[in-house]
Amino acid sequence: MNPKIWLSSPHMGGTELNYIHEAFDTNWVAPLGPNVDNFEKSIVSFLQADVHAAALSSGTAALHLALILAGVEAGDEVICQSMTFSASANPIAYLGATPVFVDSEADTWNMSPQWLEQAIQDRIAKGKKPKAIIPVHLYGMPAKMDEIEAIANKYGIIIIEDAAEALGSHINGRMCGTYGMMSALSFNGNKIITTSGGGALVAHSKELAQKATFLATQARDAAPHYEHSHIGYNYRMSNICAGIGCGQMEVLAKRIEQRRAVYTRYYNKLKNIAGISFVDEPAGCFSNRWLTTILIDTEKPNSITRETLRLAFNEDNIESRPLWKPMHMQPVFASAPFYGDGTAERLFRDGLCLPSGSNLTDTDFDRIFAVIDKVFK
Ligand SMILES: Cc1ncc(COP(=O)(O)O)c(C=O)c1O
């Protein structure tokens, strides 16, 4: 059996172990320490904005804390992009709030501003104004943030930006991860850079970032004994994981170039095959191309579907994956309200994520392209 080609696997830069050795040498083997501080600083400097970061154990933890800091409580409603990974929506449920799912638009596959506004108006008409909006930059492609922000401002609803997949993406130079009141980043093993598992909450307000750190370290009030006036969480990033992150930040710019080169390679290979399409960058948008994704038109004559290609890859031990199944189609969210026209459903039906790691070799591409040639011969 050929070795496995993964969808998106960790790619170390080489200096990560130096930071970890230093942590061991100085005995900073704890969920705090110099690597955590430096990792937070380098995130902020990368984002090139007046923001503050709290390094956490995951992107999911960042979204959970962001919702808490936004004042979301049991019984509230939070609008969330339907076409996303479940971690965008789960923290809404952790709080006993209800997710209200909004469909995608066809240009970026992200939250449709039109359906967002319809959803807000309908929820208000039904007696409840949503507490927050969670747009997502799926696969690194920036959502239509200017339009989403304008709608959010019009109705006085805050934005919590899920930038888990979009570190390095930007819109007219403004980085994903700096939109909204707070943003979530993920450094999970499959992301463009990783801390093995980890995330960060980014906020424009220093006070909010500090509150996130406070809640993430068990909400310990200032006292010699353990004193608590809030429910706390154990969500802080460890100094060891942050050491990996410090090393990874050194190669982030290179990883973005590499992911984009992966996209170009696929694009050149597949652009002339009838029925295959890619998602283009809208004017002013720059995607980190975290994952390269394609649509295979099921209505064209040759009867090849995204499943035909996925199964052919699978035969050769190559991992690919259908686009994320929309949340409004998930059994666990079956009772949640949804506003849309079936765009996300069509994307799920026709879409496939291709192996996109920055560490794919020429030999890997030979195997991947051989499967493509076989399927589309
Ligand atoms: C869109 C999106 N949101 C949130 C998350 C959650 O991040 P984490 O895995 O770090 O908890 C992920 C990734 O897993 C994601 O892809």
Side-chain angles (χ1 to χ4, degrees):
M1 172 73 98
N2 276 325
K4 177 115 178 170
I5 296 177
W6 298 95
L7 192 67
S8 178
S9 72
H11 187 183
M12 292 299 104
T15 62
E16 292 84 359
L17 274 177
N18 301 345
Y19 292 95
I20 291 175
H21 279 136
E22 202 179 313
F24 272 69
D25 291 345
T26 52
N27 207 27
W28 278 112
V29 186
L32 77 168
N35 287 336
V36 177
D37 299 342
N38 289 334
F39 186 47
E40 286 175 346
K41 279 189 198 130
S42 58
I43 292 169
V44 166
S45 126
F46 180 80
L47 292 175
Q48 295 167 37
D50 186 15
V51 290
H52 305 269
L56 302 172
S57 54
S58 69
T60 312
L63 287 164
H64 189 191
L65 293 184
L67 288 165
I68 292 168
L69 292 169
V72 172
E73 293 176 347
D76 286 339
E77 293 189 349
V78 174
I79 292 186
C80 183
Q81 182 166 320
S82 182
M83 182 93 193
T84 186
F85 182 63
S86 63
S88 306
N90 282 337
I92 302 169
Y94 298 168
L95 292 168
T98 302
V100 173
F101 293 115
V102 164
D103 211 344
S104 294
E105 43 79 22
D107 298 343
T108 70
W109 304 358
N110 291 312
M111 185 178 276
S112 151
Q114 284 71 36
W115 283 114
L116 168 64
E117 185 154 23
Q118 289 237 9
I120 294 171
Q121 287 175 350
D122 192 57
R123 298 326 288 174
I124 291 173
K126 288 193 161 70
K128 219 172 237 181
K129 184 165 122 177
K131 270 279 179 76
I133 302 166
I134 305 181
V136 186
H137 312 293
L138 211 62
Y139 312 120
M141 185 60 71
K144 294 196 165 161
M145 290 311 296
D146 293 340
E147 290 169 58
I148 292 170
E149 264 191 342
I151 294 166
N153 290 341
K154 179 170 162 190
Y155 293 92
I157 305 174
I158 68 145
I159 292 175
I160 294 173
E161 180 198 22
D162 183 345
E165 301 179 1
L167 186 60
S169 302
H170 52 82
I171 304 168
N172 295 317
R174 180 170 169 191
M175 289 285 189
C176 293
T178 69
Y179 283 87
M181 179 186 267
M182 286 169 277
S183 308
L185 301 175
S186 169
F187 306 105
N188 199 351
N190 62 353
K191 295 300 183 293
I192 194 155
I193 59 165
T194 183
T195 56
S196 75
L201 181 147
V202 178
H204 289 274
S205 141
K206 188 173 184 181
E207 198 194 336
L208 278 179
Q210 284 171 340
K211 276 191 184 162
T213 305
F214 167 76
L215 293 176
T217 46
Q218 304 289 21
R220 282 144 59 169
D221 293 339
H225 58 277
Y226 288 137
E227 176 82 11
H228 304 277
S229 42
H230 293 270
I231 296 293
Y233 301 84
N234 186 3
Y235 277 173
R236 194 71 164 131
M237 181 179 279
S238 92
N239 197 53
I240 302 298
C241 292
I244 307 177
C246 291
Q248 289 272 281
M249 285 306 289
E250 293 176 17
V251 290
L252 175 54
K254 193 163 154 197
R255 295 291 176 265
I256 296 165
E257 267 175 39
Q258 289 166 322
R259 294 267 175 174
R260 288 176 62 85
V262 165
Y263 171 84
T264 305
R265 214 158 163 169
Y266 280 118
Y267 181 78
N268 290 334
K269 174 78 187 169
L270 296 167
K271 67 179 178 209
N272 293 325
I273 298 179
I276 292 194
S277 60
F278 290 81
V279 57
D280 293 329
E281 289 167 320
C285 288
F286 178 95
S287 168
N288 69 4
R289 295 288 186 189
W290 170 57
L291 293 187
T292 295
T293 53
I294 53 170
L295 296 178
I296 303 182
D297 183 357
T298 40
E299 277 143 34
K300 72 185 182 321
N302 70 8
S303 80
I304 294 166
T305 66
R306 63 116 157 111
E307 264 316 86
T308 323
L309 185 57
R310 190 186 70 77
L311 292 170
F313 278 140
N314 198 44
E315 287 256 298
D316 193 33
N317 211 16
I318 298 169
E319 186 184 27
S320 62
R321 193 184 293 276
L323 296 193
W324 299 178
K325 185 175 178 180
M327 291 304 113
H328 73 275
M329 296 171 75
Q330 299 286 356
V332 72
F333 291 123
S335 62
F338 168 69
Y339 295 84
D341 58 12
T343 300
E345 283 163 41
R346 281 191 297 280
L347 292 169
F348 173 62
R349 182 194 66 190
D350 292 349
L352 192 69
C353 303
L354 301 174
S356 303
S358 46
N359 49 6
L360 288 173
T361 63
D362 287 344
T363 318
D364 293 335
F365 270 107
D366 288 344
R367 277 178 55 200
I368 294 165
F369 287 175
V371 171
I372 289 172
D373 288 338
K374 204 164 93 190
V375 169
F376 292 99
K377 62 183 174 293

